[in-house]
C-alpha cells in the first residue's frame, strides 16, 4: 500500500510540475459501490421541513441511515454529507427527500494525503459521478424546470443519475457495462478477448426491428442477453425510470446524457 501511495503521489506531483497548473486547489473523487467503501442514495425524512439547519439535517440523516442499515460499513467509520432534493409526502406524511453520501474516513484520508504530498491543496472529496455532473452543470445543461438523466457506462458498471434543479435526486449502480458486452461477444462468437473488444468497437451492435407499430432499435444477437434480458442493461435502466417517476409523479424525464467509454457503442443512444 505504501509503494502504491508513493507511486501515485510521485506521478501526480510530476504531472503538476509538467503542466504548470494555475491553481493547486483540487477536488478528488471516490468510487461509489453497492457494498464498498462509499455509498450514495436518496431517502425520505418524515416531518422534516426545508428550514432545518444543515447540522441538524446531517444528524437526522445519519440516524436514519444507521437505523435502516443504509451504510454498508460501521457508521463510526463514515464521513457523511447530504443535500435536500425537495419536499414530498409518503403515505400522506409530509417530509423531505434527501440525498446523502457516506464514505469511509480512511478512504478520504488517503486521498487527502496523496494530494498534499503532491503539493496540492484538497478542497473537496466527491463521489465519482459528481465529476460528470459538474462538467454538465458548467456547460449549463441542467435547466431548473427539467428532470435530466445522466447515464455513465464504463467498463465494470453503469451509473444512472437523475438531476432535478441542479441537484442529484436519484442514483443507482447497475453491474452491467462494457466488460459484460465484450464477454458476451466473446462467448457468442467464440472469439478471443481482443477480437471481441475490436468487434464491440467497430460493429453496429444495435439494429432496427419492427414491433408491430413501427420500427425500434434493438440489441443485435451477439449482445442481446446482456442488454435486453431481464437482468440486462435496458430493463434495469427502465426500472430506475419507473422508480423515480413513482416517487415523483409529476416528473418528466426530458433529456438523457451519456458518458463513459462504453457509451460510444454504435447506435447505443438510439
Amino acid at each position: 500500500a505504501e509503494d502504491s501511495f508513493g507511486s501515485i503521489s510521485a506521478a501526480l506531483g510530476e504531472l503538476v510540475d509538467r503542466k504548470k497548473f494555475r491553481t493547486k486547489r483540487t477536488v478528488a473523487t471516490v468510487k461509489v459501490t453497492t457494498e464498498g467503501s462509499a455509498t450514495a442514495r436518496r431517502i425520505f425524512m418524515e416531518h422534516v421541513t426545508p428550514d432545518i439547519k444543515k447540522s441538524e439535517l446531517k444528524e437526522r440523516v445519519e440516524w436514519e441511515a444507521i437505523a435502516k442499515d443504509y451504510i454498508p460499513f460501521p457508521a463510526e467509520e463514515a464521513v457523511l454529507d447530504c443535500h435536500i432534493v425537495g419536499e414530498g409526502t409518503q403515505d400522506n406524511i409530509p417530509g423531505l427527500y434527501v440525498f446523502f453520501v457516506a464514505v469511509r474516513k480512511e478512504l478520504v484520508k488517503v486521498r487527502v494525503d496523496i494530494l498534499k504530498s503532491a503539493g496540492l491543496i484538497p478542497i473537496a472529496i466527491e463521489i465519482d459521478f459528481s465529476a460528470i455532473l459538474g462538467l454538465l452543470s458548467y456547460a449549463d445543461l441542467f435547466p431548473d424546470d427539467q428532470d435530466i438523466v445522466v447515464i455513465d457506462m464504463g467498463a465494470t458498471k453503469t451509473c444512472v443519475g437523475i438531476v432535478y434543479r441542479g441537484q442529484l435526486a436519484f442514483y443507482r449502480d447497475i453491474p452491467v457495462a462494457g466488460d459484460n458486452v465484450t464477454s458476451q461477444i466473446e462467448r457468442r462468437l467464440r472469439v478471443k478477448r481482443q477480437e471481441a473488444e475490436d468487434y464491440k468497437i467497430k460493429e453496429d451492435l444495435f439494429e432496427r426491428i419492427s414491433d408491430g407499430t413501427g420500427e425500434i432499435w434493438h440489441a443485435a444477437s451477439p449482445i442481446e442477453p446482456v442488454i435486453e434480458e431481464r437482468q440486462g442493461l435496458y430493463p434495469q435502466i427502465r426500472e430506475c425510470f419507473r422508480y423515480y417517476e413513482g416517487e415523483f409523479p409529476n416528473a418528466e424525464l426530458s433529456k438523457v446524457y451519456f458518458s463513459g467509454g462504453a457509451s460510444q457503442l454504435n447506435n447505443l443512444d438510439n
Side-chain angles (χ1 to χ4, degrees):
E2 270 188 43
D3 290 343
S4 176
F5 180 100
S7 298
I8 295 172
S9 176
L12 190 56
E14 183 181 336
L15 177 66
V16 171
D17 291 339
R18 188 169 69 248
K19 294 297 183 180
K20 307 296 182 185
F21 296 121
R22 287 180 296 176
T23 181
K24 292 190 174 183
R25 291 162 56 84
T26 310
V27 176
T29 66
V30 294
K31 181 182 292 188
V32 172
T33 55
T34 306
E35 297 177 352
S37 298
T39 189
R41 68 182 298 157
R42 182 176 55 81
I43 60 176
F44 183 73
M45 306 291 296
E46 297 181 356
H47 302 299
V48 179
T49 56
D51 59 354
I52 187 172
K53 293 181 180 178
K54 181 62 181 287
S55 58
E56 184 181 349
L57 179 64
K58 287 179 69 173
E59 288 180 8
R60 294 280 296 272
V61 169
E62 184 174 359
W63 182 87
E64 182 87 359
I66 293 171
K68 296 189 175 178
D69 202 25
Y70 289 148
I71 302 176
F73 47 87
E76 61 272 15
E77 297 178 12
V79 177
L80 185 145
D81 203 359
C82 59
H83 66 253
I84 295 172
V85 175
E87 296 180 78
T89 60
Q90 283 193 0
D91 298 326
N92 295 320
I93 299 174
L96 293 179
Y97 287 103
V98 179
F99 190 86
F100 84 89
V101 175
V103 182
R104 282 188 186 270
K105 293 177 182 178
E106 182 59 29
L107 203 61
V108 174
K109 181 179 183 302
V110 167
R111 278 155 176 73
V112 169
D113 289 347
I114 287 174
L115 294 177
K116 286 183 176 180
S117 66
L120 297 170
I121 303 171
I123 61 170
I125 306 294
E126 298 182 330
I127 61 173
D128 49 1
F129 198 70
S130 292
I132 300 165
L133 300 185
L135 289 172
L136 294 173
S137 179
Y138 184 76
D140 199 25
L141 296 176
F142 291 144
D144 283 344
D145 59 344
Q146 296 180 19
D147 301 85
I148 307 296
V149 180
V150 181
I151 299 175
D152 179 47
M153 190 174 177
T156 59
K157 67 174 182 176
T158 296
C159 306
V160 179
I162 300 177
V163 176
Y164 179 64
R165 293 184 177 176
Q167 297 274 23
L168 188 58
F170 173 90
Y171 177 89
R172 182 171 295 170
D173 283 344
I174 298 173
V176 179
D179 285 352
N180 302 89
V181 173
T182 303
S183 296
Q184 181 62 33
I185 294 170
E186 190 178 6
R187 289 192 299 268
R188 183 63 65 93
L189 300 183
R190 298 181 180 179
V191 296
K192 294 182 178 179
R193 186 76 178 181
Q194 188 56 53
E195 291 177 279
E197 189 69 25
D198 293 341
Y199 185 97
K200 179 179 76 175
I201 294 169
K202 296 175 182 177
E203 300 297 326
D204 288 335
L205 297 178
F206 297 85
E207 57 193 9
R208 287 182 181 273
I209 63 170
S210 174
D211 67 350
T213 60
E215 287 191 333
I216 61 171
W217 286 93
H218 188 85
S221 174
I223 66 165
E224 184 177 13
V226 297
I227 300 297
E228 304 285 355
E229 291 186 359
R230 184 177 179 184
Q231 295 303 315
L233 181 63
Y234 279 4
Q236 293 197 63
I237 290 176
R238 284 193 287 266
E239 180 59 31
C240 292
F241 295 169
R242 281 194 293 268
Y243 179 83
Y244 183 80
E245 289 167 339
E247 292 288 298
F248 297 97
N250 296 323
E252 293 185 11
L253 303 177
S254 56
K255 292 181 182 178
V256 179
Y257 294 116
F258 285 91
S259 67
S263 70
Q264 302 303 308
L265 295 176
N266 290 334
N267 294 319
L268 174 68
D269 56 352
N270 286 313

